[in-house]
Amino acid sequence: MKKLISIILLSLMATFNSYAQDCEKITLMCNYEDKDVPATPIRRAPRPYVYAYIEGNTISFNKIRTYSFLAIYDNSGTLICSTELTPDYTTYSLPTDLKGEYKIVLSIGSIEYVGYMNIL
């Protein structure tokens, strides 16, 4: 029985690793600031990360269940491209002339997730 469970776990891990090998994984962290709320001893629980995967000039997201807005900025803060993502369509084709480091901002409702990607 232990062998069967270990074989199943190893096969599941191999399946997950084969998905992530071809793509570059980018972690988007929650950018949350409550300036209007006075300080209290009660703290908010941290939000889970959102992961973006880049393969070629296509970016896709794994945890988008609602409508969201994607914006990509260059180093000087200029908006390069933006789009609306739906729960059914969570991939976006980036412009082919992007080279360098860019800031990704994914807005889901009033919450922003921020990450950085480097395109060679």
Side-chain angles (χ1 to χ4, degrees):
M1 185 66 178
K2 289 182 182 179
K3 288 183 181 180
L4 178 63
I5 292 173
S6 64
I7 290 173
I8 291 172
L9 288 175
L10 287 174
S11 65
L12 288 174
M13 289 173 45
T15 304
F16 177 74
N17 286 338
S18 66
Y19 172 73
Q21 282 178 353
D22 296 336
C23 305
E24 179 185 350
K25 182 178 177 179
I26 299 170
T27 304
L28 301 173
M29 299 187 330
C30 183
N31 184 17
Y32 183 78
E33 293 182 14
D34 241 353
K35 295 180 180 177
D36 298 334
V37 177
T40 63
I42 300 171
R43 301 283 182 222
R44 291 189 180 265
R47 296 211 174 258
Y49 299 136
V50 173
Y51 295 104
Y53 299 94
I54 294 182
E55 184 175 2
N57 69 333
T58 303
I59 187 168
S60 59
F61 299 91
N62 66 338
K63 289 186 181 179
I64 297 179
R65 307 288 184 254
T66 62
Y67 290 91
S68 57
F69 185 76
L70 172 68
I72 299 176
Y73 298 92
D74 64 1
N75 287 336
S76 63
T78 306
L79 179 66
I80 300 297
C81 54
S82 63
T83 188
E84 184 177 346
L85 300 175
T86 64
D88 299 331
Y89 189 73
T90 59
T91 60
Y92 178 69
S93 293
L94 299 171
T96 56
D97 61 342
L98 293 182
K99 301 281 186 231
E101 187 172 324
Y102 295 93
K103 177 181 176 181
I104 304 171
V105 178
L106 180 68
S107 301
I108 302 174
S110 63
I111 301 166
E112 285 187 346
Y113 293 90
V114 178
Y116 296 91
M117 67 177 175
N118 192 6
I119 300 177
L120 303 175

